[in-house]
Amino acid sequence: MKCRVCGKLYPESAINFCVDDFGPLEVTYDYEAIKGQVSRDILERRPATMWKFQEFLPIGPDQPIVGRNVGATPLVKADRLADALGVEKLWVKNDAVNFPTLSFKDRVVSVALSKALEFGMTTVGCASTGNLANSVAAQAASAGLETFILVPADLERTKILGTAVYGAKVIGCLGTYDEVNRLCTQIALKYGWGFVNVNLRPFYAEGSKTMGFEIAQDLGWRLPQHVVCPMAGGALIGKIHKAFNELYATGLIDTPVTTKMYGAQATGCNPISDAVKQNREKHKPIRKPNTICKSLAIGDPADGIFAAKLVRETGGWAEDVTDDEIVDGMKLLAQTEGIFGETAGGTTVAVARKLIEAGRIPRNEEIVLCVTGNGLKTQDAVFDSLTAPATIKPTLAEFEQLSGLIEAVLV
Amino acid sequence: MKCRVCGKLYPESAINFCVDDFGPLEVTYDYEAIKGQVSRDILERRPATMWKFQEFLPIGPDQPIVGRNVGATPLVKADRLADALGVEKLWVKNDAVNFPTLSFKDRVVSVALSKALEFGMTTVGCASTGNLANSVAAQAASAGLETFILVPADLERTKILGTAVYGAKVIGCLGTYDEVNRLCTQIALKYGWGFVNVNLRPFYAEGSKTMGFEIAQDLGWRLPQHVVCPMAGGALIGKIHKAFNELYATGLIDTPVTTKMYGAQATGCNPISDAVKQNREKHKPIRKPNTICKSLAIGDPADGIFAAKLVRETGGWAEDVTDDEIVDGMKLLAQTEGIFGETAGGTTVAVARKLIEAGRIPRNEEIVLCVTGNGLKTQDAVFDSLTAPATIKPTLAEFEQLSGLIEAVLV
């Protein structure tokens, strides 16, 4: 592992920051060695899961794997959404149907928990209110690991259910996000437990790359010109781009990476998009996030600086959208492509629309939108915007009297 | 198409029963021709979706396809569930992460709507409260088809949301299931619309076969000895078995089919399992189904006779379980394999346990359980059985005081 700030090297262990400068650690690879191990043909013959890219993940070939079936989600050619947005070539990378818990977090958790097994850990956990908690609880259960999930004390019980059902020990915490994260660090240090996004973070983060590998493979081993990606902590966008570079470094794609990366946030919590638009190197933390898009509402994102830098360097951009635009984005995606993404998906679609309309993304080039979670988990967001159904007796006469309905269809 | 009762042949059209005896129509194939078109190697090189088996589906090679990305869900090697059930070799076929709407209905709807396009239909629909409605609405939206979904008038608005979000016209009906189905038939006849499980039923039903094809492929082109499958209308269990026979007829598997098929129902609506257990050829309709497992609660199943016959002929069996057992089954699946299946999944697991304990399924043979939908859609069922979380201030001291929690883990 290598410090992303000073470059100092570390052996693999359950730490996530450099002891000299507190810079985040990142896993490094020997790409020349990987080049000799994999080819397009070899990869295409492996089972369709994210683990076909194991050489690019920090889990050795003989290690046990948690989440063997994660990934390989559809890259959907989205012609009807393309028409609606006024662009020519559009795809949706749809992690809303990821195994086992319907979000891209299944990828990162799969790597983190595999590493936890390798380190001999028997207890794991995370602090999360949503997708991450679901995935840690589910995949830890599948590996027989004990699990502690720390959630805000006021979280609705319906949201706790999707985590508690897997047998995880769910603990409500009265405190801020930062205080809870600090507690996780203390517990991890004292008991040697694996908190996926704390002491296992360098391994965890690598899992996101598989979304990038899969996009390239499904396009026929080449890259799109533009990728729009939601930003919460800011890691995913960077890891997708890292994946593209790794594919070039190992000869799996033929040309250097020129893909432009675009970041999507909610206006109610937009530290990274604000930094990009204001041309600031470091984002200003948002103290009180206020948006329906809870899964992106990280006020002080750990990878904010790196994400803003990446967006600038690739020639992309970042944008944020209001809650109303997010709901419109969710409905547009559902009604054109039959994909019910969560609020973060609506954010990505709405930001893409804004960037296209502003001329930031050209209408005649290839665009991939990353949908990272399932709308069933954030149903409340769209509930009020849908009309209640008409009611009839089950007769043809009553059906035909439903004013406007039939006419609208028959015209 | 051929009548399943008298064998009379029909050209392909939007009808679902024989005009002579009202027997259901079934699509027929030329297996010798298919044998010349596909091989294991050809199939393995196609994209991982159910449409790799297109030669076995009633959609010609040049026809447009709705739901191009459906299927290819994971066959999960379920070692921890196997231990819990006391068996040696167990897999879960997990359609809870199917694209786009997280149930096996995505398979049947994909075929039905593809056929609707071929027939030139521009409006489609169904009568359903759950998975079928979600899938028709989503996939019709992706194809730009107008959609009418008929639901019971008293259905909760939260359940309507998962269908209405796709832009479908949802209509509440004050009447019994039978009355609503009759209305669908009338509308289909008068307006030429495609109701997926009415006038498109023969095509629709074929989609279920792909679950069987995928099980065989993922086992390495061979069959398990036992398959446990939920039964609602009773079609799925028959179609999985039909798929196995078709694989043998076309040389894709080497040995004749000896797989025993087991049907799972809820005790609160058990017409088919009751018929099997009472050794009756024809099931007795259940007038008032009473179970938390709504997706299996069809009192007078269209394929009930065929399902009971198949179970008997293959040497399998059928069983039903109480609501408490269903909830226990859901939790067991979640807590051993990290798979949150809907109530029908809990039913399947609980029935498998019952059959294993009764000695009907031997403990040392290969078993596949079919999980056909996602637990996020039936969360209410397990809600009351989960305990509320403990609450603490985010300090190590308070965390450690949580009585019993840490000790339980550290022992």
Side-chain angles (χ1 to χ4, degrees):
Chain A
M1 298 198 289
K2 192 164 92 170
C3 171
R4 286 181 78 178
V5 176
C6 71
K8 182 170 176 171
L9 293 171
Y10 288 81
E12 278 196 354
S13 72
I15 56 165
N16 57 314
F17 55 83
C18 176
V19 293
D20 291 349
D21 56 19
F22 295 99
L25 300 185
E26 187 172 46
V27 179
T28 58
Y29 301 84
D30 177 353
Y31 296 117
E32 281 306 310
I34 295 176
K35 206 167 176 170
Q37 290 160 6
V38 297
S39 67
R40 294 179 187 180
D41 195 53
I42 287 172
L43 291 170
E44 280 169 6
R45 285 169 171 275
R46 292 182 181 172
T49 80
M50 64 175 254
W51 286 98
K52 70 163 55 178
F53 299 102
Q54 184 163 359
E55 284 85 355
F56 297 92
L57 297 171
I59 307 294
D62 303 322
Q63 299 298 332
I65 285 173
V66 182
R68 171 63 73 186
N69 293 289
V70 177
T73 58
L75 182 72
V76 179
K77 186 73 165 48
D79 293 340
R80 281 178 34 86
L81 180 57
D83 286 348
L85 296 178
V87 298
E88 288 178 19
K89 286 161 273 182
L90 184 72
W91 290 263
V92 171
K93 177 61 174 171
N94 182 25
D95 265 16
V97 293
N98 209 347
F99 174 87
T101 66
L102 315 176
S103 87
F104 96 98
K105 293 290 185 189
D106 289 328
R107 301 175 184 274
V108 289
V109 170
S110 174
V111 177
L113 296 190
S114 299
K115 206 69 191 176
L117 284 191
E118 187 182 325
F119 288 153
M121 294 166 168
T122 54
T123 302
V124 297
C126 69
S128 163
T129 59
N131 287 325
L132 182 59
N134 296 165
S135 190
V136 170
Q139 296 196 59
S142 78
L145 297 165
E146 283 286 346
T147 315
F148 284 84
I149 308 284
L150 280 60
V151 301
D154 58 354
L155 190 64
E156 308 93 295
R157 260 191 82 197
T158 49
K159 292 221 168 164
I160 290 170
L161 183 131
T163 296
V165 71
Y166 299 105
K169 294 177 176 66
V170 181
I171 300 170
C173 291
L174 301 151
T176 66
Y177 183 81
D178 280 348
E179 288 171 325
V180 176
N181 260 331
R182 215 174 303 141
L183 174 59
C184 291
T185 307
Q186 290 176 298
I187 300 169
L189 278 172
K190 179 157 179 185
Y191 295 101
W193 297 354
F195 279 77
V196 298
N197 55 344
V198 181
N199 54 335
L200 296 173
R201 189 174 187 88
F203 313 106
Y204 165 94
E206 290 294 286
S208 293
K209 292 189 310 191
T210 58
M211 219 167 154
F213 298 138
E214 291 175 7
I215 289 169
Q217 183 189 343
D218 285 347
L219 287 176
W221 299 107
R222 57 185 193 81
L223 304 182
Q225 289 154 296
H226 310 273
V227 172
V228 188
C229 178
M231 299 188 296
L236 176 61
I237 192 169
K239 291 295 179 179
I240 290 175
H241 194 259
K242 182 180 178 187
F244 292 168
N245 279 321
E246 289 183 341
L247 290 175
Y248 181 63
T250 52
L252 290 165
I253 58 170
D254 298 324
T255 50
V257 180
T258 56
T259 305
K260 297 177 179 177
M261 304 297 294
Y262 301 81
Q265 295 207 295
T267 303
C269 184
N270 64 351
I272 310 177
S273 62
D274 179 66
V276 168
K277 291 193 286 183
Q278 303 297 327
N279 203 23
R280 267 196 302 271
E281 195 190 339
K282 167 101 180 78
H283 62 266
K284 281 194 208 164
I286 305 289
R287 262 166 229 285
K288 290 199 176 161
N290 179 19
T291 169
I292 55 169
C293 188
K294 305 292 179 205
S295 63
L296 300 184
I298 296 185
D300 190 7
D303 285 287
I305 295 179
F306 301 112
K309 188 161 174 270
L310 176 80
V311 161
R312 271 191 288 265
E313 285 179 356
T314 61
W317 197 243
E319 205 28 283
D320 47 78
V321 286
T322 66
D323 286 0
D324 283 347
E325 289 172 315
I326 291 170
V327 172
D328 286 347
M330 290 173 76
K331 287 163 72 174
L332 183 64
L333 180 62
Q335 293 173 11
T336 55
E337 297 298 334
I339 294 171
F340 188 17
E342 62 170 6
T343 44
T347 304
T348 300
V349 170
V351 162
R353 171 145 69 179
K354 205 162 168 178
L355 292 169
I356 291 160
E357 284 171 3
R360 292 252 174 212
I361 301 179
R363 294 180 185 272
N364 61 343
E365 297 188 352
E366 295 190 330
I367 308 165
V368 170
L369 309 184
C370 298
V371 170
T372 51
N374 198 295
L376 282 183
K377 299 192 191 178
T378 60
Q379 295 193 47
D380 296 351
V382 283
F383 191 80
D384 291 335
S385 76
L386 296 170
T387 49
T391 299
I392 61 168
K393 283 189 201 139
T395 67
L396 196 56
E398 290 223 358
F399 180 76
E400 289 175 335
Q401 277 164 23
L402 282 174
S403 103
L405 269 184
I406 311 276
E407 292 73 8
V409 172
L410 293 183
V411 166
Chain B
M1 298 199 291
K2 192 164 92 172
C3 172
R4 287 180 77 179
V5 177
C6 72
K8 180 170 177 171
L9 294 171
Y10 288 82
E12 278 197 354
S13 71
I15 56 164
N16 56 314
F17 55 84
C18 176
V19 293
D20 290 349
D21 54 18
F22 295 100
L25 300 186
E26 187 172 46
V27 179
T28 57
Y29 301 86
D30 177 353
Y31 296 118
E32 281 306 310
I34 295 175
K35 205 166 175 172
Q37 289 160 7
V38 297
S39 67
R40 293 179 187 179
D41 195 55
I42 288 172
L43 292 170
E44 278 168 8
R45 285 169 170 275
R46 291 181 181 173
T49 80
M50 65 174 251
W51 286 98
K52 70 161 58 178
F53 299 102
Q54 185 163 357
E55 284 84 354
F56 296 93
L57 297 172
I59 306 294
D62 304 322
Q63 299 298 332
I65 286 174
V66 182
R68 170 64 76 185
N69 293 289
V70 176
T73 58
L75 183 71
V76 178
K77 185 75 166 48
D79 293 339
R80 280 176 36 83
L81 181 58
D83 287 347
L85 297 178
V87 298
E88 289 178 18
K89 286 162 273 180
L90 184 72
W91 290 262
V92 171
K93 177 61 173 171
N94 182 25
D95 265 17
V97 293
N98 210 349
F99 174 88
T101 65
L102 315 176
S103 87
F104 96 97
K105 292 291 185 187
D106 289 328
R107 301 176 184 275
V108 288
V109 170
S110 174
V111 177
L113 296 190
S114 298
K115 206 69 193 176
L117 284 190
E118 186 181 325
F119 287 154
M121 294 165 167
T122 55
T123 302
V124 297
C126 68
S128 163
T129 59
N131 287 324
L132 182 60
N134 296 166
S135 190
V136 170
Q139 297 196 59
S142 78
L145 296 165
E146 284 285 347
T147 315
F148 284 85
I149 308 284
L150 279 60
V151 301
D154 58 355
L155 190 64
E156 307 93 293
R157 262 191 79 196
T158 49
K159 292 222 166 163
I160 290 169
L161 183 131
T163 296
V165 71
Y166 300 105
K169 294 179 177 66
V170 182
I171 300 170
C173 290
L174 300 152
T176 67
Y177 183 82
D178 279 348
E179 289 171 325
V180 175
N181 260 331
R182 213 173 305 141
L183 173 59
C184 291
T185 307
Q186 289 176 301
I187 299 169
L189 276 172
K190 178 155 178 184
Y191 294 102
W193 297 355
F195 279 77
V196 297
N197 54 345
V198 181
N199 54 335
L200 295 173
R201 189 172 187 90
F203 314 106
Y204 165 94
E206 290 293 288
S208 294
K209 292 189 309 191
T210 58
M211 220 168 155
F213 298 139
E214 292 175 8
I215 289 169
Q217 184 189 343
D218 285 348
L219 287 177
W221 299 107
R222 59 184 192 80
L223 304 181
Q225 289 154 295
H226 310 274
V227 172
V228 189
C229 177
M231 300 188 295
L236 176 61
I237 192 169
K239 291 295 179 179
I240 290 175
H241 195 259
K242 182 179 178 186
F244 293 167
N245 280 322
E246 290 183 340
L247 291 175
Y248 180 64
T250 51
L252 290 165
I253 58 171
D254 299 324
T255 49
V257 181
T258 57
T259 305
K260 296 177 180 179
M261 304 297 294
Y262 302 81
Q265 295 208 295
T267 303
C269 185
N270 65 349
I272 309 176
S273 62
D274 179 66
V276 169
K277 292 194 287 183
Q278 303 297 327
N279 204 23
R280 267 197 301 272
E281 194 190 341
K282 169 102 180 76
H283 62 267
K284 279 194 210 163
I286 306 289
R287 263 166 227 284
K288 290 199 174 161
N290 179 20
T291 169
I292 55 169
C293 188
K294 305 291 179 206
S295 63
L296 300 185
I298 296 185
D300 191 7
D303 285 289
I305 296 178
F306 301 112
K309 187 160 174 269
L310 176 80
V311 161
R312 272 191 286 264
E313 286 179 355
T314 61
W317 197 244
E319 208 21 289
D320 46 77
V321 285
T322 66
D323 286 0
D324 283 347
E325 290 172 313
I326 291 170
V327 171
D328 287 346
M330 291 174 76
K331 287 163 73 175
L332 183 64
L333 180 61
Q335 294 174 11
T336 55
E337 297 298 333
I339 294 171
F340 189 16
E342 62 169 7
T343 43
T347 304
T348 301
V349 170
V351 162
R353 171 145 71 178
K354 206 163 169 178
L355 292 169
I356 291 160
E357 285 171 1
R360 292 246 175 218
I361 301 180
R363 295 179 185 273
N364 62 342
E365 297 188 352
E366 296 191 331
I367 308 164
V368 170
L369 308 185
C370 298
V371 170
T372 50
N374 199 295
L376 283 183
K377 298 192 192 177
T378 59
Q379 295 193 48
D380 297 351
V382 282
F383 192 81
D384 290 334
S385 75
L386 297 169
T387 50
T391 299
I392 61 169
K393 282 187 202 141
T395 68
L396 195 55
E398 290 224 358
F399 180 76
E400 290 175 335
Q401 276 165 24
L402 282 175
S403 103
L405 269 185
I406 311 276
E407 293 73 8
V409 173
L410 294 182
V411 165

